[in-house]
Amino acid sequence: MPSVEELYRNYGILADATEQVGQHKDSYQVILDGVKGGTKEKRLAAQFIPKFFKHFPELADSAINAQLDLCEDEDVSIRRQAIKELPQFATGENLPRVADILTQLLQTDDSAEFNLVNNALLSIFKMDAKGTLGGLFSQILQGEDIVRERAIKFLSTKLKTLPEEVLTKEVEELILTESKKVLEDVTGEEFVLFMKILSGLKSLQTVSGRQQLVELVAEQADLEQTFNPSDPDCVDRLLQCTRQAVPLFSKNVHSTRFVTYFCEHVLPNLSSLTTPVEGLDTQLEVLKLLAEMSSFCGDMEKLETNLRKLFDKLLEYMPLPPEEAENGENAGNEEPKLQFSYVECLLYSFHQLGRKLPDFLTAKLNAEKLKDFKIRLQYFARGLQVYIRQLRLALQGKTGEALKTEENKIKVVALKITNNINVLIKDLFHIPPSYKSTVTLSWKPVQKVELGQRRANEDTTSGSPPKKSAAGPKRDARQIYNPPSGKYSSNLGNFNYERSLQGK
């Protein structure tokens, strides 16, 4: 094996040869042999091998393998030097291989090495995005779990930092094509990351692009299969996928397919849903998702059927007034529990779909059922007024820090919920029922929309959705659901505001 002096001497021969450097194959072989030496020899080899690599195509495999040996050396300083120089090997047909090697090196636990690998991948991405993607997706599809995980995270965080001249339409099409292959078998967490990757692509931010993404989500949600409320993975998948779909819906990208599925398959099984995440109010999560989607329905074949299922479920949460005994007191021991959070969601969804069939209450229900509904609405409205007055009184005069306590935050949200329900009930009390009022759901931020403002990046193009592929997510059993915003929402459904306020 060559000494440090021999390495410097042969380096000098190659450096002085200028245009005739390719004629000194023996000198380059000496430098390649430096990887078998000690620490000093290896450090020099890590610098010298890439410097003259392009002049010896017949030794390309030997050179890359030698540098790869240095990338796996026990000495961290040698590894870092070798990794730093890897992009110099990314020429022509060698680039996908270098990208593959760098992707595998993402598994390092050394933070400095990890940053070097990231920087090296970004640099070859700018040389040849398609070739780099080939290496990345090869490892995502076939690599070890840790490599797959970090390669996906690399794409989800770094793609958005690349300039437009790198992320061309052709490159974005390749990302979509390869992502579809991965989405055939993913975990819940991976699915969320891929939706982040795809929704960030410029070509998918048009109406037709978002429609493609909705179709992808529908495939993952398995909307063609029978819903199993007792299977936590099935429930988790539906929640996870629908949460990803909601931001994609607009006046031109409709939620009809999802809303119909929820009304037909999920609402009838609402009380028997298995909770996939400890502490999560799954029923409320389902109702929130349905409420958010209900604003973006298009033409619906089963509109009347869906409204009936919504109506029936709404009745379950809108009790009849308790019967009075002969002395005028309640015959029962306690008042029915009013679950305001659930009612807000169901009433809002019913109100949104009701706009499309405004005669549902008057023409589609028999007189007895309509009378029963109005009695329930009336009783609920009376209870609402009591709570609204108590909440306003409790919050009166409170500003700034006082409103930031846990208890007052809950009361503020509770006031939003009860006010929303109040507005919607007033609409339904009109003769005939009205569907004109607009409310902002209690867990959504209030947005000021100027007249004529249009959804950003929306156009009027259309495109055919991709063909249906195998459904997911299902890779192993590792699925994680990210609950929607609304920190206090899970506490509101059964919160006894009256008792809380009286105890203060």
Side-chain angles (χ1 to χ4, degrees):
M1 61 189 70
S3 64
V4 169
E5 291 74 18
E6 287 176 295
L7 288 172
Y8 272 118
R9 184 169 61 253
N10 283 280
Y11 174 84
I13 291 171
L14 295 173
D16 293 340
T18 59
E19 294 181 5
Q20 282 75 45
V21 63
Q23 298 174 13
H24 298 277
K25 184 177 177 181
D26 291 344
S27 292
Y28 191 59
Q29 185 61 58
V30 171
I31 289 174
L32 293 180
D33 292 338
V35 301
K36 301 170 186 175
T39 300
K40 292 181 180 178
E41 289 80 8
K42 287 178 180 178
R43 285 180 182 168
L44 288 175
Q47 297 174 59
F48 295 168
I49 291 172
K51 187 172 181 64
F52 301 105
F53 167 75
K54 64 182 179 181
H55 300 292
F56 300 97
E58 69 276 19
L59 293 175
D61 283 344
S62 298
I64 292 174
N65 288 333
Q67 195 77 4
L68 186 54
D69 286 342
L70 296 172
C71 289
E72 298 172 344
D73 197 84
E74 292 181 359
D75 188 313
V76 65
S77 63
I78 293 173
R79 293 202 306 270
R80 290 176 184 174
Q81 182 65 47
I83 291 169
K84 184 180 178 182
E85 304 295 342
L86 268 178
Q88 295 193 55
F89 295 87
T91 56
E93 61 185 18
N94 295 314
L95 189 140
R97 184 182 175 190
V98 173
D100 192 283
I101 292 168
L102 283 168
T103 305
Q104 293 181 60
L105 291 172
L106 284 170
Q107 66 187 293
T108 179
D109 291 325
D110 182 282
S111 59
E113 276 183 57
F114 185 76
N115 289 334
L116 284 171
V117 173
N118 272 268
N119 292 336
L121 271 170
L122 282 173
S123 67
I124 67 169
F125 221 118
K126 293 171 183 175
M127 297 179 202
D128 181 351
K130 293 175 74 175
T132 306
L133 286 168
L136 279 160
F137 275 103
S138 172
Q139 286 300 318
I140 289 171
L141 287 165
Q142 301 169 9
E144 298 291 328
D145 281 354
I146 183 66
V147 175
R148 173 187 172 100
E149 176 190 333
R150 293 187 179 180
I152 293 172
K153 285 184 177 177
F154 173 86
L155 287 173
S156 69
T157 56
K158 302 299 182 184
L159 277 183
K160 60 187 177 185
T161 68
L162 294 169
E164 284 188 20
E165 57 266 25
V166 174
L167 283 181
T168 62
K169 184 178 180 181
E170 190 178 15
V171 169
E172 290 194 346
E173 286 173 354
L174 177 61
I175 293 171
L176 178 59
T177 300
E178 294 299 314
S179 295
K180 286 179 181 178
K181 295 176 186 175
V182 181
L183 287 171
E184 292 177 8
D185 185 12
V186 289
T187 68
E189 187 176 17
E190 290 171 346
F191 172 63
V192 172
L193 288 174
F194 267 100
M195 287 306 297
K196 179 181 177 183
I197 292 166
L198 296 175
S199 60
L201 299 180
K202 186 178 180 182
S203 60
L204 293 179
Q205 291 173 12
T206 61
V207 167
S208 58
R210 289 200 305 276
Q211 187 62 55
Q212 284 192 69
L213 292 178
V214 167
E215 293 297 327
L216 272 179
V217 176
E219 289 166 8
Q220 299 300 313
D222 230 354
L223 298 185
E224 299 300 323
Q225 301 300 315
T226 303
F227 180 67
N228 183 357
S230 62
D231 180 358
D233 287 341
C234 182
V235 175
D236 187 48
R237 179 190 302 155
L238 182 64
L239 291 175
Q240 182 93 270
C241 292
T242 308
R243 179 51 55 186
Q244 295 303 309
V246 167
L248 301 171
F249 296 134
S250 68
K251 64 180 182 180
N252 293 320
V253 181
H254 297 150
S255 60
T256 313
R257 187 178 176 190
F258 280 84
V259 171
T260 297
Y261 188 85
F262 270 58
C263 289
E264 285 189 347
H265 301 284
V266 188
L267 279 185
N269 296 296
L270 192 65
S271 59
S272 58
L273 290 177
T274 300
T275 299
V277 179
E278 188 177 350
L280 180 70
D281 187 341
T282 306
Q283 294 182 48
L284 184 56
E285 293 303 320
V286 164
L287 295 179
K288 282 185 172 184
L289 289 169
L290 180 57
E292 290 187 50
M293 294 189 294
S294 63
S295 303
F296 302 111
C297 283
D299 294 334
M300 189 179 288
E301 289 182 15
K302 301 178 180 179
L303 177 57
E304 185 178 336
T305 303
N306 291 339
L307 269 169
R308 285 188 182 278
K309 291 186 181 295
L310 264 172
F311 180 80
D312 291 342
K313 185 57 64 175
L314 180 58
L315 290 184
E316 291 181 27
Y317 294 97
M318 301 199 78
L320 285 165
E323 293 182 9
E324 290 188 357
E326 291 181 4
N327 60 2
E329 298 292 329
N330 286 346
N333 292 326
E334 57 183 57
E335 295 275 339
K337 185 180 289 185
L338 305 182
Q339 293 180 288
F340 296 108
S341 293
Y342 287 33
V343 170
E344 179 197 17
C345 297
L346 285 164
L347 202 55
Y348 182 87
S349 300
F350 180 80
H351 191 268
Q352 292 297 313
L353 294 193
R355 290 176 175 176
K356 297 179 176 298
L357 192 62
D359 65 347
F360 174 80
L361 289 174
T362 52
K364 305 297 181 180
L365 292 183
N366 62 47
E368 204 58 40
K369 206 161 190 177
L370 180 58
K371 181 182 176 183
D372 172 83
F373 183 51
K374 294 229 169 180
I375 291 171
R376 292 171 189 265
L377 282 177
Q378 216 163 22
Y379 175 66
F380 207 96
R382 285 204 304 269
L384 269 180
Q385 298 308 318
V386 173
Y387 287 127
I388 289 173
R389 283 197 300 271
Q390 291 176 335
L391 288 166
R392 285 176 176 166
L393 186 62
L395 294 170
Q396 190 173 4
K398 289 184 171 64
T399 57
E401 291 301 315
L403 290 175
K404 293 181 182 178
T405 66
E406 197 75 10
E407 184 181 351
N408 284 334
K409 282 181 178 179
I410 290 176
K411 289 174 183 173
V412 168
V413 176
L415 189 58
K416 289 180 182 177
I417 292 172
T418 48
N419 278 331
N420 282 348
I421 297 172
N422 195 40
V423 170
L424 296 173
I425 286 179
K426 283 181 178 178
D427 250 18
L428 297 181
F429 263 129
H430 283 202
I431 301 175
S434 170
Y435 299 92
K436 294 180 181 178
S437 294
T438 302
V439 300
T440 299
L441 290 163
S442 59
W443 64 91
K444 304 288 284 183
V446 178
Q447 295 182 340
K448 294 180 180 178
V449 181
E450 294 179 9
L451 190 64
Q453 180 179 337
R454 298 184 63 184
R455 188 185 179 104
N457 298 319
E458 188 160 297
D459 63 22
T460 54
T461 60
S462 61
S464 299
K467 291 183 179 178
K468 182 173 175 61
S469 60
K474 57 182 181 293
R475 184 176 170 91
D476 303 328
R478 301 167 296 166
Q479 298 188 15
I480 301 169
Y481 175 58
N482 297 322
S485 59
K487 182 177 177 183
Y488 310 101
S489 59
S490 60
N491 299 323
L492 290 172
N494 301 316
F495 190 84
N496 191 328
Y497 307 108
E498 186 173 13
R499 185 180 62 194
S500 173
L501 293 169
Q502 288 173 346
K504 294 296 172 186

